[in-house]
Amino acid sequence: MPLSMNSEVFITCAVTGSGSTQDRSPHVPRSPKQIADSAIAAAKAGAAIVHCHVRDPETGAPSRDLKLYREVTDRIRAAEVDVVLNLTAGMGGDITFGPTEAPMPVNQTGTDMIGAAERVAHVAECLPEICTLDCGTMNFAEADYVMTNTPGMLRAMGQMMTDLGVTPEIEAFDTGHLWFAKELVKEGVLDGPALVQLCMGVPWGAPDDLNTFMAMVNNVPNDWTFSAFGLGRNQMAYVAAAVLAGGNVRVGLEDNLWLAKGELATNEQLVTRARGIIEGMGARVIGPDEVRKKLGLVKRAPK
């Protein structure tokens, strides 16, 4: 893919995520109302898409509760600001093994493995315009934790998303994930051209150096749409890098808690900062209606 700056950029705000960040910043939203309010504020600041997980309102721990997802989506849809809704489908593929000399049985505390239909149940319930599909298995930073997405599981989940009329956002943490994503489109499991999120700097996936980033970009087919983010302190640098490479951007508290050294951010502030960078580069930030037209999305509400 030749380097060609994107002149019409959409911003995705990843509102809360499923990491253990809930006690590291008071701005990480927990309850459905807090998550929805933060998403709405991000939309008002210029985010065309909000990417949402849900959390236990009391503990802040990540959750798969359908009622929480329904409340978040209902609140966002009832808001006075329009935004494209993107729900995670990454939960339910977690394995935490025992110690290295006795890995089995798995550690039940950190293991959450469920079937494809259950992993997509909240998507069928809420019918967002977009949902994520983590397109591969990966070791995360924790010693014995594996994010598990087998080819069979991904084919099953991807087909369910396609049948529901929800556009998958392929989450690619390394080049092999893009390889398999192209295979899913080739097989007809996913419709093409596809939507991709390039996830940079997540241990132990693709590191967030520019050479690796361009290797990821160069593995995205020319007719696909991609967005990118860098984890942590490089989040804003990747706003500029993604636009320069021809893509769109993602920011938000799922990926980064800080606005500046010693200054904790809100989602709204991160979107505002990203918008300033994009516009400072001479590009235009596009809104949800233009994103729907660009990606062929259909705005629906569940029955």
Side-chain angles (χ1 to χ4, degrees):
M1 176 181 289
L3 183 66
S4 179
M5 178 175 153
N6 187 8
S7 61
E8 296 188 336
V9 180
F10 63 76
I11 300 172
T12 296
C13 181
V15 177
T16 189
S18 62
S20 56
T21 56
Q22 66 270 21
D23 297 320
R24 293 167 52 197
S25 170
H27 303 305
V28 175
R30 299 186 179 200
S31 72
K33 183 179 186 303
Q34 290 171 342
I35 293 168
D37 285 350
S38 193
I40 292 163
K44 289 179 177 179
I49 302 172
V50 289
H51 169 60
C52 297
H53 295 241
V54 294
R55 293 176 179 267
D56 182 293
E58 299 300 322
T59 67
S63 175
R64 295 188 284 101
D65 190 323
L66 266 65
K67 292 180 181 178
L68 297 178
Y69 273 108
R70 188 60 183 262
E71 183 177 348
V72 167
T73 56
D74 285 350
R75 286 179 177 275
I76 292 172
R77 283 172 166 145
E80 70 278 11
V81 63
D82 187 24
V83 70
V84 173
L85 187 60
N86 175 341
L87 297 183
T88 184
M91 305 291 290
D94 302 330
I95 298 179
T96 300
F97 292 95
T100 54
E101 296 302 325
M104 300 297 287
V106 298
N107 185 329
Q108 295 299 320
T109 302
T111 296
D112 179 31
M113 287 291 294
I114 56 175
E118 191 174 354
R119 289 183 70 171
V120 182
H122 63 292
V123 176
E125 168 74 14
C126 299
L127 294 177
E129 289 133 298
I130 300 171
C131 68
T132 61
L133 185 66
D134 296 338
C135 230
T137 294
M138 199 181 92
N139 296 326
F140 268 68
E142 294 88 346
D144 298 308
Y145 164 70
V146 178
M147 177 185 77
T148 309
N149 294 289
T150 66
M153 178 66 75
L154 291 172
R155 285 186 173 96
M157 291 175 63
Q159 189 64 63
M160 290 175 190
M161 294 168 185
T162 298
D163 292 345
L164 287 168
V166 176
T167 296
E169 180 186 68
I170 295 159
E171 304 292 284
F173 296 83
D174 219 332
T175 52
H177 298 180
L178 291 167
W179 186 7
F180 188 66
K182 286 182 275 191
E183 179 64 21
L184 291 179
V185 172
K186 180 181 177 181
E187 293 173 3
V189 173
L190 304 184
D191 294 330
L195 173 64
V196 179
Q197 185 71 247
L198 303 179
C199 310
M200 308 301 299
V202 180
W204 300 107
D208 62 357
D209 63 87
L210 288 177
N211 285 335
T212 303
F213 176 57
M214 288 311 301
M216 296 279 278
V217 170
N218 288 332
N219 273 279
V220 177
N222 290 337
D223 61 340
W224 290 18
T225 299
F226 80 90
S227 181
F229 71 85
L231 203 67
R233 63 183 180 181
N234 285 332
Q235 184 174 80
M236 292 303 158
Y238 267 84
V239 170
V243 174
L244 185 61
N248 303 279
V249 307
R250 170 172 136 173
V251 294
L253 294 177
E254 176 172 350
D255 309 319
N256 167 50
L257 299 177
W258 301 94
L259 190 65
K261 187 175 182 180
E263 184 181 356
L264 289 167
T266 65
N267 280 309
E268 179 182 5
Q269 289 173 322
L270 292 171
V271 172
T272 299
R273 177 70 59 83
R275 181 169 193 160
I277 293 169
I278 294 163
E279 293 176 342
M281 295 175 71
R284 184 173 69 90
V285 174
I286 65 175
D289 280 341
E290 289 177 280
V291 169
R292 291 186 185 103
K293 184 176 180 181
K294 178 182 179 69
L295 300 179
L297 304 178
V298 178
K299 185 177 182 179
R300 297 180 295 167
K303 295 179 181 179

